[in-house]
Amino acid sequence: MQNDIILKDVSFNYENAPILENINIEYSKEDFLAIIGPNGGGKSTLLKLMIGILKPQKGMVSLFGKNPSDVSERISYVPQDTFANKGFPIQVIDIVLMGRLSKSKSFSFYSKKDKAIALEMLDKVGMKAYAAQKINALSGGQRQRVFIARALASEAEILFLDEPTASIDTAGQIDVFKLLKKLNESIGIIIISHDINVAMNYATKVAHVNKALYLHDVPKAKNIAIFDAKALSSTHICPIELITATRCTHLHTDAH
Amino acid sequence: MEILQFDFMQNALIASVLISIICGLIGALVVINRMVFIAGGIAHGSYGGIGIALFFGFAPMLGASLFALVLGAILAYITHKNTNRLDALVGALWAFGMALGIILTDLTPGYNVDLMSYLFGAILSVSTEDLYAMGSILVLVCGFVLLFYKQLLAMSFDAEFAKLRGINVTLLYFALVLLISLGVVIIIRAVGLILVIALLTIPPYIAEKFTNSLWEMMIVSALLASLFCLSGLFLSYTFNLSSGASIILVATLTFSTQLLLEKIRLR
């Protein structure tokens, strides 16, 4: 099993305040990795280090064996739904097309193939009917699907998502995670989630980040069973059960 | 149409259209990138360039253009770095440019008749050379927007994502700010540095509500700017009013009417 992402002794400070300390993690794209942890624990920072938006002060980050910013076209990213630029006049299809941008196609306009792929991805997330809609007419959940379609349009090998379901209702969340789970058959999924249930139900690995990082394996059988129970019945599942369903199968890579 | 008989009026009309298209293209990018304050800093700060030009005795518009480019580069650098207290830094540069301009004009011997025209514009005294300058900048702006349309759109919408897709966002941002600097200086020729921001921002503000894409926003902005410039010019000619101020009054009245109608419609 090759390791598509390797972080070795990575530390990151923001204005002298340590955000992450001595992080070690290896990831291969067969896995569905959920990053969980408290607010301000460094989840987003870890994600941004992996994709090269941020550079660590100490340690080494490698993506597909290279410097992350050199291979950024092979991954894609769904940001948090912080849609602040409200009046922006843009149609859904034009946002998805941004996923088709690349260094090599600098000057030309988007090709027919680009447009076909963009529509196909909109279809995949169930938003094809909205292709010509203005983005600010959509709900938070619909917007997030559009951003997932944009990321998919890149035909990336690993998809990174920063709390993609924060503004979606429960039914919508399950839809998105089912979609991600299906995508994980062919591409890597790394997701930040504030929702521990979701992490346990869909992920194959869970990383708990709070300055330091602890990696857990999620047992396969449990994960499918819990997922089914939740989808099929409305019975409440206690988060504690979910946590105990996950056994640490390895030593904690504690920094201290 | 006796108004068209005069050469100065013909030049003013051509200048209005050229400037309006520049306004539409640049203004839309300024508004969607929320760079209004930066554009304001460049416009006012460029007065320093006029002071330098007067003091050393070369063409004021050349001085303003060069100085605006330097200011633009500095502003692009500090905004790109996303420094804390960005607005304070922009404000300081804004004031520095104006102060430098005033001190240098003070120190320049003789009285300077043209001063007011840089503050409030002088579209009625646009020369043929000015028209060439406006035309060249328009070609530059058009070329830039056409070549990099999808990159500009992606950067304006989500710079982080654009960067991940391999776009050199830093370079594109610098190029955009420098182009805005040049555009702002040439628009100053028509409406003056005090009023340039209104002409740059009001048409896009109105346009973005009625359009579905950046290019539509640019076209509608250009049409609105032309409408404001031409009707302002007509008013200024008919009632013997200051041209720059007339243009801006038409623009602001249209803007407030539109806002009012929107409020009523939403009730």
Side-chain angles (χ1 to χ4, degrees):
Chain A
M1 195 164 76
Q2 91 278 24
N3 284 314
D4 298 304
I5 301 175
I6 301 169
L7 269 73
K8 217 171 163 187
D9 300 325
V10 168
S11 295
F12 187 85
N13 308 317
Y14 182 72
E15 290 180 351
N16 294 325
I19 306 293
L20 292 170
E21 282 179 342
N22 295 316
I23 300 294
N24 285 289
I25 187 172
E26 295 183 352
Y27 170 85
S28 97
K29 63 186 179 191
E30 288 78 41
D31 276 317
F32 188 132
L33 172 68
I35 302 172
I36 58 171
N39 286 336
K43 301 188 295 281
S44 292
T45 305
L46 177 65
L47 196 84
K48 287 180 178 176
L49 285 168
M50 285 176 167
I51 59 182
I53 289 180
L54 293 176
K55 305 260 178 281
Q57 277 97 1
K58 206 181 121 246
M60 187 272 299
V61 180
S62 117
L63 180 59
F64 303 121
K66 301 207 171 78
N67 185 349
S69 30
D70 294 338
V71 284
S72 60
E73 289 190 17
R74 290 172 64 189
I75 56 109
S76 205
Y77 172 56
V78 180
Q80 242 171 346
D81 184 33
T82 48
F83 190 62
N85 213 340
K86 264 188 132 179
F88 208 108
I90 189 165
Q91 288 169 304
V92 165
I93 184 74
D94 289 322
I95 293 175
V96 181
L97 276 170
M98 287 175 194
R100 300 299 303 158
L101 283 168
S102 69
K103 256 183 213 156
S104 48
K105 290 182 290 184
S106 294
F107 296 107
S108 55
F109 285 92
Y110 293 112
S111 67
K112 272 202 171 131
K113 188 185 160 220
D114 290 334
K115 284 174 187 160
I117 290 172
L119 277 175
E120 185 194 326
M121 298 310 164
L122 272 176
D123 200 21
K124 223 175 204 172
V125 299
M127 289 294 292
K128 199 179 178 184
Y130 296 86
Q133 284 269 358
K134 220 166 150 176
I135 187 71
N136 53 11
L138 302 186
S139 72
Q142 290 173 323
R143 269 205 303 273
Q144 214 49 31
R145 285 159 178 277
V146 172
F147 289 134
I148 292 174
R150 175 178 72 167
L152 292 177
S154 306
E155 297 180 313
E157 293 164 56
I158 303 176
L159 205 57
F160 293 81
L161 305 96
D162 191 349
E163 298 207 10
T165 55
S167 54
I168 310 181
D169 59 34
T170 317
Q173 285 186 20
I174 291 178
D175 281 352
V176 168
F177 277 95
K178 274 186 182 163
L179 175 69
L180 293 177
K181 191 78 187 166
K182 190 164 161 43
L183 292 170
N184 188 223
E185 288 164 12
S186 50
I187 62 173
I189 302 285
I190 297 183
I191 183 169
I192 293 180
S193 181
H194 62 292
D195 187 341
I196 195 161
N197 278 344
V198 156
M200 299 299 162
N201 284 332
Y202 297 90
T204 57
K205 285 210 162 85
V206 175
H208 182 265
V209 181
N210 188 10
K211 251 194 232 179
L213 184 147
Y214 307 91
L215 191 65
H216 307 257
D217 283 315
V218 180
K220 266 210 171 91
K222 287 281 183 191
N223 137 26
I224 298 302
I226 295 163
F227 156 65
D228 282 347
K230 188 168 186 186
L232 296 174
S233 74
S234 55
T235 49
H236 174 69
I237 298 168
C238 176
I240 302 299
E241 285 172 41
L242 286 164
I243 293 167
T244 50
T246 314
R247 281 175 286 275
C248 293
T249 54
H250 63 97
L251 290 171
H252 284 169
T253 50
D254 195 339
H256 307 289
Chain B
M1 291 301 273
E2 53 163 331
I3 186 171
L4 291 175
Q5 285 167 2
F6 306 104
D7 275 352
F8 73 88
M9 210 56 196
Q10 287 170 9
N11 278 358
L13 292 175
I14 298 170
S16 296
V17 174
L18 291 176
I19 275 176
S20 295
I21 304 173
I22 297 174
C23 266
L25 295 170
I26 285 185
L29 287 166
V30 165
V31 167
I32 60 169
N33 279 290
R34 285 175 284 192
M35 292 162 77
V36 175
F37 197 53
I38 294 174
I42 294 169
H44 287 75
S46 72
Y47 191 67
I50 291 170
I52 294 174
L54 288 176
F55 187 76
F56 291 103
F58 58 95
M61 285 316 277
L62 180 66
S65 301
L66 293 176
F67 199 72
L69 284 175
V70 173
L71 273 184
I74 297 172
L75 285 170
Y77 179 76
I78 56 180
T79 49
H80 181 71
K81 284 268 158 199
N82 232 337
T83 326
N84 259 344
R85 297 281 170 265
L86 185 69
D87 47 354
L89 283 169
V90 177
L93 274 173
W94 175 315
F96 161 75
M98 292 223 74
L100 183 71
I102 290 167
I103 297 289
L104 285 175
T105 12
D106 280 351
L107 294 177
T108 308
Y111 176 67
N112 243 300
V113 203
D114 257 2
L115 201 63
M116 289 300 275
S117 75
Y118 295 107
L119 293 177
F120 296 101
I123 201 166
L124 293 175
S125 62
V126 165
S127 67
T128 313
E129 289 80 58
D130 288 329
L131 290 182
Y132 284 132
M134 287 169 187
S136 318
I137 291 190
L138 177 59
V139 169
L140 201 66
V141 173
C142 274
F144 181 72
V145 170
L146 277 176
L147 271 179
F148 298 109
Y149 179 79
K150 61 183 184 187
Q151 283 86 351
L152 283 169
L153 180 66
M155 176 181 76
S156 311
F157 186 75
D158 187 344
E160 253 178 16
F161 189 86
K163 202 171 170 186
L164 281 179
R165 297 313 309 152
I167 292 173
N168 192 336
V169 172
T170 310
L171 194 65
L172 192 64
Y173 184 75
F174 269 79
L176 176 62
V177 176
L178 292 182
L179 209 65
I180 290 171
S181 308
L182 283 179
V184 160
V185 170
I186 208 73
I187 300 166
I188 286 175
R189 189 74 189 89
V191 293
L193 62 85
I194 296 186
L195 305 174
V196 62
I197 292 308
L199 199 57
L200 210 55
T201 53
I202 292 174
Y205 271 133
I206 300 176
E208 77 173 358
K209 300 197 173 102
F210 304 102
T211 51
N212 286 324
S213 64
L214 177 59
W215 65 266
E216 285 174 16
M217 182 181 176
M218 286 172 165
I219 290 173
V220 173
S221 302
L223 289 173
L224 282 171
S226 306
L227 183 76
F228 297 155
C229 283
L230 295 176
S231 46
L233 209 55
F234 178 76
L235 288 176
S236 130
Y237 175 82
T238 315
F239 300 106
N240 196 22
L241 302 168
S242 162
S243 59
S246 306
I247 292 170
I248 300 305
L249 269 189
V250 173
T252 42
L253 281 176
T254 313
F255 188 32
S256 44
T257 313
Q258 187 264 327
L259 285 179
L260 205 70
L261 286 176
E262 195 179 69
K263 271 255 155 62
I264 293 169
R265 197 171 55 85
L266 286 176
R267 263 222 297 223

